[in-house]
Amino acid sequence: MPVPELSHNKICNLEDFSHPDLYPVIREVFAHEVARFGDAFPLGRENRKDWEAAMAIRAFAAHGLLDGRSEFLGVAAGNEPLVFHLTRFARRVFATDLYLASGDWEPFGHESMMTDPYQHWPFAWNPRRLVVQHMDALDLQYEDETFDGVFSGSSIEHFGGHPEVERSMDEMFRVLRPGGVCAVSTEFRLAGPSPGLPGCLLFDADELASRLIGDRAWHLVSPLDLSVSDATVGSKTDVADVVAQQLAQCDRDGGWFTHKLDYRHFPHIVMGIDDFVFTSIQLALQKDEAPGGAPSSSRDRERSRLSTPLTGTHAVALDQAPFSGAGWYAPHHSPSGAARWTGPGRDASIDLQILVSPRTTVEVLVVAAVSPSVLEDLRVEVNGLPISVERVTHDEGTLVRGVVPASYASVRPFTRISLRTPQPPAPFAEGEDRVGVAVRWVRLIAPRTP
């Protein structure tokens, strides 16, 4: 039986973390957590903040914005992972917050984001595409209709009262281009009176409709799903305990660093304190196009092309492939022309500007390996989803081949092929020229249409 599609507008549920629409996105955005917590991640480490970032990425991808040409604005963005991850797929990302402000939020504001953002994300990202600016979310210093995508993660509830929330949403709407997408996550109140906690608004369905969505000329990109499973409600965690862990991490590390935080208990989805119970909700809003429309631009045609699944066969030689990520598989080219990976990391990924559908065959031609065990341990993932592979003898080496499962679902205008091994070989001696695994090419073969 097909798995129902996950709405872009919904309450965070425990089951979302294993949903095929979201599971691979979480693993891709938080690939470092797979390395830190094991291959089962995010299962057993369900964190609603990871869910919020992945839901925003998924909404942008569904509307063709991860094409390397779109410009994004993060409102009260802090040092959130979404800021850095987007730099890999955007023309530019503008991160705004009260970075220079003092007060209770100073540990989370991070003035150093303006001078040394590397310390906040020591993983793969593109620093040439990030602009960090001190700016008030209620007074965005940009021209109208500047950005293709706007995002704000778990911040708007701290802006003051409901009038401040409406003003910030007015500003996000103003700077969003027609056809652009605004992804906002905030707190949804499952129990307790309005307006919520001191310093933190908690919204119900009516307040979402009147305050966040309002009568602005935009619309939800998919139906609003307010269902909450029993397992989700049963995961309730005490707010005071969570805050204590967050503050202890800030004291230990000199500020808020999401990649260093490790809660004592999971799932981290539903929060409770006194009479209040709440969790995350994600809204994805698309700004209406101008009346009458206009002829499609070359950019629109390119987005349409990237939203069409692969047909036929696509092959990429790895000595010319765009690599991303850090890993003991790190790109280095051998004289023979095969892509060679050596070094101290963990994995390598290849980003391709194509959309892969279920039942697509993925073939990796391995022409050398440092040991047979490394080849046996080699795993292949498509957008974070592991696929079962077989190994077949080939004239040049070994063909590692698998098929994307029928349950796979993606509307992303790119595909990431990741090559992983659970255990790296013995450390390389400095200056030693050893091959970890050498791969000649990766080939994708689309399923035949009826």
Side-chain angles (χ1 to χ4, degrees):
M1 179 180 296
V3 179
E5 184 177 352
L6 202 68
S7 175
H8 292 287
N9 296 278
K10 70 182 309 293
I11 291 174
C12 180
N13 272 269
L14 180 62
E15 294 79 3
D16 296 348
F17 291 82
S18 58
H19 195 286
D21 288 356
L22 193 66
Y23 169 80
V25 185
I26 296 177
R27 286 174 62 86
E28 179 189 337
V29 178
F30 298 94
H32 62 285
E33 301 288 45
V34 177
R36 181 159 72 134
F37 295 127
D39 200 52
F41 180 87
L43 305 183
R45 295 274 176 173
E46 296 90 351
N47 187 337
R48 66 192 183 115
K49 301 305 177 184
D50 297 352
W51 177 92
E52 292 172 5
M55 286 288 287
I57 284 289
R58 180 171 164 263
F60 292 145
H63 292 83
L65 298 183
L66 303 185
D67 57 1
R69 302 182 182 184
S70 300
E71 298 208 326
F72 292 88
L73 171 66
V75 177
N79 63 347
E80 291 298 317
L82 182 57
V83 169
F84 297 96
H85 186 75
L86 275 174
T87 64
R88 302 170 70 178
F89 311 107
R91 182 174 181 269
R92 280 186 301 183
V93 178
F94 290 76
T96 64
D97 207 331
L98 298 179
Y99 290 110
L100 303 179
S102 58
D104 293 342
W105 288 98
E106 187 173 1
F108 302 91
H110 284 301
E111 179 181 351
S112 57
M113 272 289 289
M114 303 185 71
T115 57
D116 184 20
Y118 293 91
Q119 66 177 294
H120 299 282
W121 199 247
F123 311 108
W125 63 287
N126 191 332
R128 295 175 180 171
R129 299 177 185 174
L130 177 62
V131 180
V132 182
Q133 296 175 302
H134 177 84
M135 194 174 297
D136 189 341
L138 308 187
D139 184 21
L140 299 175
Q141 299 297 302
Y142 302 106
E143 298 289 346
D144 296 356
E145 301 180 357
T146 297
F147 297 98
D148 301 286
V150 176
F151 61 93
S152 183
S154 289
S155 296
I156 198 168
E157 62 270 14
H158 302 296
F159 289 173
H162 287 152
E164 286 74 22
V165 168
E166 293 185 34
R167 183 175 171 184
S168 67
M169 294 302 296
D170 286 341
E171 283 290 273
M172 285 188 264
F173 174 83
R174 179 182 64 80
V175 301
L176 187 65
R177 288 176 180 149
V181 174
C182 177
V184 176
S185 59
T186 188
E187 306 289 7
F188 187 84
R189 191 173 71 252
L190 300 174
S194 181
L197 298 166
C200 182
L201 299 172
L202 307 176
F203 300 97
D204 61 17
D206 291 340
E207 290 161 345
L208 289 176
S210 60
R211 308 293 186 175
L212 276 73
I213 302 173
D215 58 1
R216 305 170 188 92
W218 57 13
H219 59 277
L220 295 173
V221 302
S222 59
L224 182 61
D225 180 2
L226 298 181
S227 61
V228 187
S229 71
D230 291 341
T232 300
V233 175
S235 72
K236 184 175 70 172
T237 302
D238 181 67
V239 169
D241 183 54
V242 171
V243 171
Q245 291 178 68
Q246 292 173 341
L247 293 177
Q249 187 265 312
C250 286
D251 289 341
R252 182 191 71 207
D253 299 321
W256 176 255
F257 297 89
T258 59
H259 64 280
K260 296 182 179 181
L261 183 64
D262 184 11
Y263 291 108
R264 287 192 293 268
H265 306 290
F266 288 91
H268 181 68
I269 298 176
V270 173
M271 304 290 107
I273 183 170
D274 298 330
D275 295 331
F276 293 98
V277 180
F278 59 95
T279 189
S280 297
I281 189 167
Q282 179 80 20
L283 297 180
L285 298 147
Q286 185 173 37
K287 192 169 185 176
D288 296 345
E289 298 281 1
S296 63
S297 64
S298 59
R299 175 183 172 126
D300 293 333
R301 290 192 293 272
E302 176 68 5
R303 283 182 176 168
S304 176
R305 182 188 71 80
L306 292 176
S307 298
T308 302
L310 168 71
T311 57
T313 299
H314 181 90
V316 55
L318 295 202
D319 56 349
Q320 300 174 345
F323 288 87
S324 61
W328 77 264
Y329 289 131
H332 182 76
H333 304 304
S334 68
S336 65
R340 181 173 60 185
W341 292 301
T342 60
R346 293 179 301 276
D347 59 55
S349 298
I350 311 140
D351 292 333
L352 305 174
Q353 288 291 328
I354 55 176
L355 175 62
V356 170
S357 59
R359 299 187 176 90
T360 296
T361 299
V362 181
E363 296 182 339
V364 180
L365 178 59
V366 178
V367 295
V370 69
S371 69
S373 62
V374 170
L375 179 57
E376 286 299 316
D377 288 340
L378 181 66
R379 302 196 309 276
V380 179
E381 294 182 0
V382 176
N383 284 342
L385 177 70
I387 64 173
S388 298
V389 297
E390 61 175 348
R391 294 162 181 82
V392 181
T393 301
H394 186 276
D395 291 343
E396 297 184 65
T398 301
L399 193 64
V400 180
R401 181 168 57 201
V403 177
V404 179
S407 60
Y408 173 80
S410 179
V411 291
R412 324 181 73 201
F414 66 90
T415 294
R416 170 167 297 160
I417 306 297
S418 299
L419 310 175
R420 304 180 183 276
T421 63
Q423 298 275 338
F428 295 103
E430 186 174 353
E432 185 178 0
D433 188 19
R434 284 177 67 187
V435 175
V437 168
V439 173
R440 185 80 70 195
W441 45 252
V442 168
R443 184 162 58 197
L444 305 176
I445 306 171
R448 292 183 178 180
T449 55

